[in-house]
Amino acid sequence: MTEEVLMGGPQERFQDFLKSEKYREGISHMAIAGKTSLIVDFEDLIATDSALAENILEKPDEFLEHANRAAFAQLQIEDPEYAEKTESVNVRFLGLPQTMPLRTLGAQHIGRLAMVDGIIIRATPARPMVTRAAFKCKRCGEISYRDQTSPFLRAPFSCDNPACKRKGPFDFLQDMSEFIDSQDIRIQERPEDLPPGQLPRWIDIKIFGRDLVDVARPGDDVSVIGIVRAAAPTLPRVGTLRTFTLHLDTNFIDVLSKEHEAVLISPEEEQKILELAKDPWVHRKILRSIAPSIYGYEHIKESIMYLLFGGVPKHLTDISIRGDMNVLLIGDPGTAKSQLLQYVSKVAPRGLYTSGRGSTAAGLTAAVLRERRGGMTLEAGALVLADKGVACIDEIDKMRPEDRVAIHEAMEQHTVSVAKGGIVATLNARTAILAAANPTMGRYDPYRTVAENITLPVTILSRFDLIFVLRDVPEKEVDAKMTEHILDLHRTGTAPVEAPISPDLLRKYISYSRGTKPVLTKEALERLKDFYLTMRSASETEGTPIAITARQLESLVRVAEARARAALRKEILAEDAEASITIMKRSLEEVGIDVSSQKLDIDLIMTGKPKSLRDKLQVVLGTLIEMEKETGMVDKSALLEKLETEREIVRGEAERLLGQMLREGTIYEPKEGHLKKT
Ligand SMILES: Nc1ncnc2c1ncn2[C@@H]1O[C@H](COP(=O)(O)OP(=O)(O)OP(=O)(O)O)[C@@H](O)[C@H]1O
Ligand SMILES: [Mg+2]
Ligand SMILES: [Zn+2]
């Protein structure tokens, strides 16, 4: 760069910068793309003229004007015809040297250019805004023009006609005024950027210009470059408040991809991850690393593992099938449901913990809200904010009625559609859901169906891949172990079992695994097919309206995919299919489906346990109670004897029924070989 250039004015210096091949080309292509703005990589400017770059950061109001004029001057050279048409060019900057954490933005930044990252939580529709207003004097008919900068439309102080000069009244002439497109959005710190235990902060963003309006929707991750402004609300007759709120006047808004998100993995960590994946016990290790402080619940932790890794979404030309899993935990109070959810929200690469009511007015899905100054704004709910992550929804049975309708679409199609108050939008909600609910009647009643136990419609229940019931049942051996576990935890202040994989590494491992897209091998496919078809045919011959539906088949595939992924395998092996079938059976059993007799009936979730089974359980329990009245504790062999001879329930079946009742906690074994009703 020569001395003369450096000594030129800011506009000349910027124009000189634009004379590099890259930007000359960009400018000459503006006409073809019909653009009125030019995107400039800030790094390029720093490399060419760092002093000018510094000026733009410090005094953007002044220097962005120079940049715009320079770009227009260059357009006049490259494409005079198009320049005449567009009349001006906006320079948009891409990527400042550093991102400003939203919570550090303060008074010292006012008037400067800053770049902040966040997730859009609300947005108004695009609205035209007057930049130059035309007013007609009602006295003389003269038309006066005024540039508009304040939030309110300002009429001239007096008429421009020297012979009139009266203070109006004036008529606003819409068709002679100039408008630009504008939009207000609000961005909030991303869940993963949040310091532990802090509530997310947000900032309002003002967007001007056709090229920037509507480029991003609620739920999108964005990087916004803008001038930091402070504004105070003006109250009529009171004045302007002394405390100002910050917002950004946008120069550029860049929608970030969520695929390769901010989890940075060092080469050493990658090495560790690859080694871990080779371990034949990798699944055990991951499982033991999930909430080690929580005792038991192996099958639930296993499902959580699958949920964290997730299946592979399929995007076909006509339809899309979700890869993320939905898991529901229904449980008695104090069974560590909330603890599990909290844990998952912390270890999942983009985890979000919320209650069924949601933490904002938007609830779980989305809401159209009326703004203070009139007009509508679309606000994203928890599932939209957790897009591409895991939403942990506690007390899902207490969600808003609006969400009950919208969540169906969110859980299967992974979108949230809104058409209300003039806003029509479809937002992404590609999330895995881990939800918890309490039984309606306080405690889970094993003789009722899942649907009877919680206040969620079957249409929502059927969208969960796996459902488990956590019951607080006194059980001597387990109780002893758990007591020891919990007391140990309180005594030492550490988890009694150490996690083989640290939460930090686990998060990175999960993030890393997303690159693996496992495919079913022939063997795995056969296993799944066999299981599914056996279950289907069992229902056929019985002539009952049974269906383990295509939904369960898709769930089976997802679990198998997730298991392969957890070992970073590209192939889904027979063992993955087996594990998937095992956990699916367990879940079906827990919701009251009789797997052992192969009479799988997903309709039972609605209608109740098979009548025959319920009847038999009643008979067994009745007999037990009868005998208990006589002897106190009931001798098991005597009971089995009586059931076989007097009640026509064969020994094998009776044992199975007793086993089920023991598991469900209706009865217990106070002494080896003796039974008692709980
Ligand atoms: N299996 C367990 N291992 C270790 N701690 C447990 C276990 N079960 C319960 N606890 C402890 O019991 C307490 C209650 O758990 P939590 O609040 O998660 O229950 P919850 O299932 O969400 O109950 P609610 O339905 O009432 O909300 C927690 O401190 C938790 O650590
Ligand atoms: Mg809870
Ligand atoms: Zn006049």
Side-chain angles (χ1 to χ4, degrees):
M1 189 171 297
T2 62
E3 277 297 299
E4 294 148 85
V5 174
L6 276 175
M7 286 189 315
Q11 187 182 324
E12 289 72 41
R13 279 162 64 192
F14 200 86
Q15 193 171 347
D16 207 72
F17 159 73
L18 292 177
K19 285 189 168 127
S20 72
E21 203 187 319
K22 177 176 174 183
Y23 292 108
R24 279 191 56 186
E25 201 167 299
I27 290 168
S28 56
H29 281 109
M30 280 174 63
I32 303 166
K35 283 188 180 150
T36 56
S37 60
L38 177 73
I39 296 172
V40 169
D41 202 328
F42 205 74
E43 292 292 334
D44 292 344
L45 183 61
I46 295 175
T48 314
D49 191 339
S50 65
L52 187 58
E54 189 66 27
N55 280 328
I56 286 176
L57 288 177
E58 302 275 333
K59 296 177 213 150
D61 278 316
E62 184 186 337
F63 280 82
L64 283 177
E65 267 315 303
H66 293 311
N68 291 345
R69 277 201 294 272
F72 184 68
Q74 192 60 28
L75 181 64
Q76 284 176 314
I77 297 170
E78 302 288 342
D79 192 343
E81 215 172 298
Y82 189 60
E84 199 159 318
K85 246 174 75 186
T86 63
E87 292 175 356
S88 67
V89 172
N90 284 313
V91 172
R92 311 279 186 209
F93 285 106
L94 177 67
L96 298 190
Q98 51 170 301
T99 315
M100 187 89 66
L102 221 160
R103 56 181 59 233
T104 63
L105 219 54
Q108 73 273 27
H109 302 116
I110 295 171
R112 297 176 48 121
L113 200 65
M115 177 164 81
V116 294
D117 283 1
I119 181 165
I120 300 182
I121 56 167
R122 50 163 78 170
T124 65
R127 299 185 280 215
M129 189 177 77
V130 188
T131 48
R132 189 171 164 77
F135 292 94
K136 186 174 177 183
C137 176
K138 276 191 167 179
R139 313 258 173 165
C140 71
E142 172 84 10
I143 294 171
S144 312
Y145 292 91
R146 290 292 180 276
D147 289 337
Q148 300 289 321
T149 50
S150 91
F152 301 98
L153 191 64
R154 290 271 153 83
F157 180 72
S158 62
C159 181
D160 280 355
N161 180 359
C164 170
K165 281 197 173 165
R166 276 175 287 198
K167 296 198 170 75
F170 300 98
D171 274 338
F172 171 60
L173 299 180
Q174 186 177 318
D175 47 353
M176 297 188 72
S177 300
E178 288 167 26
F179 288 85
I180 55 167
D181 286 315
S182 79
Q183 187 177 28
D184 290 342
I185 65 174
R186 178 173 289 178
I187 65 169
Q188 178 174 295
E189 286 172 304
R190 288 188 295 235
E192 61 265 33
D193 294 341
L194 214 55
Q198 299 274 338
L199 287 173
R201 303 246 180 110
W202 50 261
I203 187 168
D204 284 327
I205 309 283
K206 294 195 184 299
I207 299 175
F208 310 104
R210 183 167 50 92
D211 57 323
L212 296 183
V213 151
D214 272 344
V215 299
R217 292 175 293 175
D220 284 347
D221 268 3
V222 291
S223 182
V224 178
I225 291 174
I227 306 174
V228 182
R229 303 265 189 228
T234 306
L235 307 174
R237 275 186 285 278
V238 180
T240 302
L241 290 177
R242 259 179 71 206
T243 40
F244 285 57
T245 35
L246 295 179
H247 71 261
L248 290 184
D249 277 347
T250 307
N251 172 260
F252 190 60
I253 178 164
D254 192 16
V255 181
L256 307 171
S257 137
K258 293 176 184 174
E259 299 297 346
H260 307 285
E261 56 140 281
V263 180
L264 291 175
I265 296 167
S266 70
E268 297 86 65
E269 284 163 342
E270 182 174 5
Q271 202 53 44
K272 270 197 215 163
I273 287 169
L274 292 176
E275 235 154 71
L276 200 57
K278 273 192 247 136
D279 192 326
W281 292 102
V282 59
H283 293 106
R284 288 291 321 158
K285 281 195 170 171
I286 296 170
L287 206 144
R288 283 201 288 125
S289 307
I290 292 173
S293 301
I294 292 177
Y295 178 82
Y297 299 137
E298 292 259 327
H299 60 297
I300 291 174
K301 291 185 182 178
E302 188 182 337
S303 321
I304 288 177
M305 166 168 80
Y306 300 142
L307 177 126
L308 285 169
F309 285 90
V312 183
K314 318 281 179 337
H315 302 289
L316 314 176
T317 45
D318 49 348
I319 56 166
S320 289
I321 303 169
R322 68 182 158 96
D324 295 300
M325 285 171 52
N326 302 322
V327 175
L328 173 66
L329 309 177
I330 306 171
D332 292 343
T335 46
K337 297 183 299 299
S338 298
Q339 297 279 27
L340 282 167
L341 262 59
Q342 292 270 11
Y343 172 84
V344 170
S345 72
K346 283 189 199 106
V347 77
R350 179 182 264 256
L352 190 136
Y353 177 90
T354 182
S355 91
R357 288 191 190 90
S359 42
T360 62
L364 296 179
T365 53
V368 174
L369 307 175
R370 195 169 287 282
E371 284 184 298
R372 231 178 332 136
R373 277 200 218 122
M376 295 295 192
T377 172
L378 175 60
E379 182 160 322
L383 290 178
V384 176
L385 298 184
D387 183 36
K388 291 262 163 188
V390 178
C392 300
I393 310 171
D394 212 345
E395 325 222 339
I396 192 171
D397 44 323
K398 298 183 185 66
M399 71 178 134
R400 307 176 310 159
E402 302 93 292
D403 284 337
R404 272 175 195 263
V405 180
I407 203 167
H408 290 90
E409 181 195 343
M411 289 182 77
E412 203 71 80
Q413 275 70 46
H414 275 177
T415 51
V416 170
S417 300
V418 181
K420 210 174 153 191
I423 295 180
V424 179
T426 299
L427 308 176
N428 285 321
R430 296 159 292 187
T431 86
I433 297 177
L434 177 62
N438 279 114
T440 323
M441 282 147 315
R443 284 186 166 256
Y444 196 86
D445 180 351
Y447 292 103
R448 287 169 192 263
T449 62
V450 173
E452 285 171 337
N453 266 294
I454 69 168
T455 45
L456 279 181
V458 178
T459 45
I460 293 180
L461 282 179
S462 67
R463 282 168 166 77
F464 284 100
D465 299 84
L466 297 169
I467 300 178
F468 295 102
V469 178
L470 291 82
R471 302 195 47 222
D472 189 9
V473 191
E475 219 177 312
K476 218 161 71 190
E477 224 170 279
V478 179
D479 278 352
K481 286 214 189 95
M482 174 140 122
T483 312
E484 200 178 305
H485 179 101
I486 293 181
L487 291 180
D488 221 38
L489 183 154
H490 279 271
R491 185 172 62 83
T492 59
T494 54
V497 218
E498 212 190 313
I501 309 167
S502 73
D504 186 50
L505 185 62
L506 185 55
R507 183 183 308 112
K508 288 176 175 159
Y509 189 95
I510 295 165
S511 225
Y512 191 87
S513 80
R514 294 281 153 89
T516 312
K517 303 224 174 344
V519 186
L520 283 168
T521 59
K522 226 169 152 232
E523 297 79 45
L525 190 135
E526 285 299 320
R527 300 284 160 106
L528 296 180
K529 196 170 98 188
D530 279 355
F531 173 74
Y532 183 68
L533 291 182
T534 313
M535 294 305 159
R536 293 288 282 193
S537 64
S539 59
E540 238 168 61
T541 51
E542 294 292 319
T544 32
I546 293 173
I548 110 165
T549 66
R551 276 230 169 94
Q552 275 75 41
L553 183 58
E554 285 180 0
S555 300
L556 283 165
V557 174
R558 270 193 282 274
V559 173
E561 283 169 347
R563 192 172 183 278
R565 214 178 220 181
L568 302 185
R569 258 193 278 109
K570 287 196 181 65
E571 292 194 321
I572 301 166
L573 307 178
E575 59 170 87
D576 299 318
E578 293 296 343
S580 170
I581 291 168
T582 308
I583 197 104
M584 174 61 73
K585 274 187 180 168
R586 172 82 195 242
S587 169
L588 291 172
E589 249 166 30
E590 293 216 352
V591 299
I593 289 163
D594 193 359
V595 180
S596 48
S597 68
Q598 289 215 335
K599 276 190 242 157
L600 273 171
D601 183 351
I602 206 73
D603 285 341
L604 278 180
I605 294 181
M606 282 187 268
T607 58
K609 287 190 181 186
K611 185 149 182 327
S612 62
L613 174 67
R614 191 149 49 169
D615 287 350
K616 279 186 186 148
L617 282 169
Q618 283 301 332
V619 171
V620 173
L621 191 63
T623 315
L624 185 127
I625 292 170
E626 219 172 86
M627 290 172 75
E628 210 179 290
K629 274 187 201 136
E630 290 165 24
T631 58
M633 235 182 321
V634 178
D635 186 68
K636 191 171 168 185
S637 45
L639 175 67
L640 289 172
E641 178 80 41
K642 191 167 178 156
L643 286 172
E644 181 145 32
T645 53
E646 293 176 28
R647 306 285 141 91
E648 288 172 355
I649 298 177
V650 293
R651 204 178 175 87
E653 185 168 23
E655 291 216 52
R656 201 172 56 72
L657 293 169
L658 285 176
Q660 182 177 349
M661 285 160 80
L662 275 168
R663 247 183 295 128
E664 286 171 345
T666 332
I667 61 175
Y668 68 106
E669 203 166 2
K671 209 171 92 186
E672 183 77 39
H674 290 76
L675 299 169
K676 214 166 155 37
K677 187 179 176 301
T678 315

